[in-house]
Amino acid sequence: MKLFDVYPLFDISIVKASGSSLWDANGKKYLDLYGGHAVISIGHSHPHYIEKIKQQLDQIGFYSNSVKILPQEELAAKLGELSGYKDYQLFLCNSGAEANENAIKLASFQTGRKNVIAFTKSFHGRTSMAVAATDDKSIVAPVNETGNIQFLPFNDEQLLEKSINKEVCAVIIEGIQGVGGVNIPTPSFLKKMEKLCKENGALLILDEVQSGYGRSGRFFAHQHAGIKPDLITVAKGMGNGFPVGAVLISPEIRSKHSMLGTTFGGNYLACAAAIAVLDVIKQENLIDHAMQTGNKWMNDLRKIKQVKEVRGQGLMIGLELSFPAAEIRKKLLTEHRIFTGASGKNVIRLLPSLAVQQNEIERFTDAFEKVLSKVEVKI
Ligand code: PLP
């Protein structure tokens, strides 16, 4: 059987990983500054993480038959404490897309409405909101275009005020837009959104799948704006590579049996991975580390004259060039063995482990300057 070819792939096979380092099948070492789309939060193969998963696997990996799964309760308690959302409720699932679908479903149950407001350049997974991350309409299934989803321009308070009404069940926004180019909602936009949602009886959903789990220098990016959403979705960094996602649900939303459901969500192994991630984030103070290293790094990157704009918060960084980034990323990989990400044509995305070290950051900045100096003639 052949693999269904939906991803452009580098001809590299990774066989080993540790911290921010990767090794290919030929023993070549690479620096990973992308972490598989922001998934690697505490670093590859962290010893505590491996130990926790192994211990759990020795006991039980998966079981689901209407029994209490104790690690789910430990996970909920630790997540509540570290995120500052102790009074919220937790629904566990397997991915960011699933978390967002469930959040929309909850908002619709809660309000009895079906219209949703999202924003241009947003990305909420391959869900019913899966438009807008791309200009390539050929990959947006017609079914996604027929829903009651309205896409508004980002950071436009007036238009939001005009568009929201008592038929809207939810407004969904990313803590920081990732796939759409690392765009940060202004605190004033988020505050206005929170107020308008309350006035209109709509729920506010913060998609923190990419920007959450400490990446922005706060547990959630929206905490920089001091707002409190009704629903928060997480995945990616939550499991450091183990597939796990969740919805954090306001205490005002009452649960009902069979309202939501999942086969694999919250299984023993997923919980062990997610608990280990929270332990390491706390023990190693990775949220402060993300804030400090990220801010310093962005200041250094702003000094590079070929970079049009540096956008980001903590370790979620976008470097906008005034020319296509593909060649630069290719050279970083082939000449300097550094993995980066992209967004659209001109933006390089940096989403390293939250434990990335200063010498690794300097290695990137140095390599980036070298590569840019060679393409200067093309600008
Ligand atoms: N939401 C955001 C903000 C994302 O960046 C992504 C993935 O890139 C998703 C949701 C979808 O997550 P998943 O791929 O786990 O379904």
Side-chain angles (χ1 to χ4, degrees):
M1 190 184 288
K2 228 169 68 165
L3 297 175
F4 197 50
D5 184 13
V6 288
Y7 302 112
L9 299 176
F10 296 117
D11 189 18
I12 297 173
S13 306
I14 297 300
V15 295
K16 196 178 117 178
S18 170
S20 292
S21 301
L22 301 169
W23 285 265
D24 72 8
N26 302 314
K28 278 191 198 158
K29 187 178 172 187
Y30 297 81
L31 175 60
D32 183 11
L33 296 183
Y34 191 56
H37 320 291
V39 164
I40 302 303
S41 46
I42 58 168
H44 291 280
S45 311
H46 192 288
H48 177 71
Y49 175 82
I50 302 283
E51 189 51 37
K52 276 276 193 186
I53 292 178
K54 277 188 181 159
Q55 271 174 11
Q56 185 59 62
L57 202 50
D58 273 348
Q59 292 162 20
I60 183 169
F62 177 82
Y63 185 70
S64 177
N65 193 9
S66 310
V67 291
K68 268 194 182 173
I69 294 178
L70 293 178
Q72 292 183 354
E73 290 172 25
E74 182 183 348
L75 172 57
K78 287 188 166 165
L79 178 55
E81 193 203 318
L82 207 60
S83 67
Y85 280 96
K86 265 189 186 166
D87 57 337
Y88 275 44
Q89 311 156 81
L90 185 66
F91 176 75
L92 289 160
C93 56
N94 308 283
S95 69
E98 201 186 341
N100 284 330
E101 284 293 1
N102 279 300
I104 293 286
K105 199 179 272 187
L106 273 175
S108 187
F109 277 137
Q110 183 75 3
T111 59
R113 308 174 186 173
K114 56 185 179 183
N115 293 355
V116 174
I117 290 180
F119 297 92
T120 49
K121 295 197 177 173
S122 61
F123 184 70
H124 301 293
R126 306 302 167 128
T127 57
S128 44
M129 286 85 61
V131 196
T134 174
D135 295 332
D136 182 357
K137 293 291 176 226
S138 71
I139 63 167
V140 177
V143 66
N144 293 145
E145 288 185 329
T146 55
N148 301 302
I149 302 162
Q150 195 182 358
F151 288 89
L152 298 181
F154 203 54
N155 280 337
D156 187 333
E157 292 178 29
Q158 281 177 355
L159 204 55
L160 178 62
E161 188 157 13
K162 271 193 203 146
S163 309
I164 196 165
N165 55 42
K166 295 203 164 30
E167 282 168 25
V168 170
C169 76
V171 177
I172 181 166
I173 185 166
E174 288 157 85
I176 299 173
Q177 285 190 337
V179 177
V182 191
N183 307 309
I184 307 175
T186 62
S188 145
F189 187 52
L190 288 178
K191 283 199 175 106
K192 181 92 182 187
M193 191 178 295
E194 183 184 45
K195 183 169 169 278
L196 290 172
C197 281
K198 282 211 167 69
E199 285 169 4
N200 287 277
L203 300 198
L204 176 55
I205 304 174
L206 251 294
D207 177 345
E208 295 274 4
V209 167
Q210 190 167 146
S211 54
Y213 263 77
R215 182 153 295 281
S216 74
R218 299 288 303 265
F219 195 89
F220 290 124
H222 69 258
Q223 289 170 322
H224 290 280
I227 58 154
K228 217 164 179 198
D230 302 289
L231 297 155
I232 304 163
T233 56
V234 288
K236 292 192 187 283
M238 180 179 191
N240 198 49
F242 199 100
V244 52
V247 190
L248 280 70
I249 303 162
S250 148
E252 281 168 31
I253 300 176
R254 304 261 307 266
S255 59
K256 210 168 78 177
H257 289 172
S258 303
M259 204 177 184
L260 305 177
T262 160
T263 300
F264 296 119
N267 69 72
Y268 287 90
L269 274 179
C271 289
I275 289 167
V277 166
L278 292 171
D279 290 344
V280 174
I281 289 180
K282 189 173 169 186
Q283 278 156 16
E284 299 186 4
N285 216 2
L286 292 184
I287 303 181
D288 284 348
H289 180 76
M291 173 84 103
Q292 278 153 25
T293 44
N295 288 348
K296 183 181 176 313
W297 196 7
M298 282 190 279
N299 282 339
D300 291 344
L301 291 166
R302 286 192 180 103
K303 293 178 194 146
I304 303 176
K305 68 176 190 312
Q306 294 97 328
V307 179
K308 192 172 152 196
E309 192 181 358
V310 178
R311 292 191 291 272
Q313 258 173 344
L315 288 170
M316 182 158 178
I317 300 175
L319 307 173
E320 179 156 356
L321 308 176
S322 45
F323 50 93
E327 192 59 22
I328 306 290
R329 287 187 58 229
K330 194 168 157 204
K331 284 197 155 79
L332 282 167
L333 183 60
T334 54
E335 294 174 11
H336 299 272
R337 296 193 196 152
I338 300 176
F339 278 99
T340 58
S343 168
K345 278 202 174 67
N346 291 5
V347 179
I348 294 181
R349 271 197 299 161
L350 301 173
L351 298 163
S353 141
L354 304 185
V356 69
Q357 295 301 300
Q358 192 55 34
N359 62 332
E360 293 165 331
I361 286 175
E362 281 162 18
R363 183 153 116 59
F364 169 81
T365 311
D366 199 43
F368 188 44
E369 284 187 293
K370 282 198 179 108
V371 168
L372 282 174
S373 70
K374 288 192 203 148
V375 293
E376 218 161 358
V377 281
K378 288 194 200 162
I379 299 169

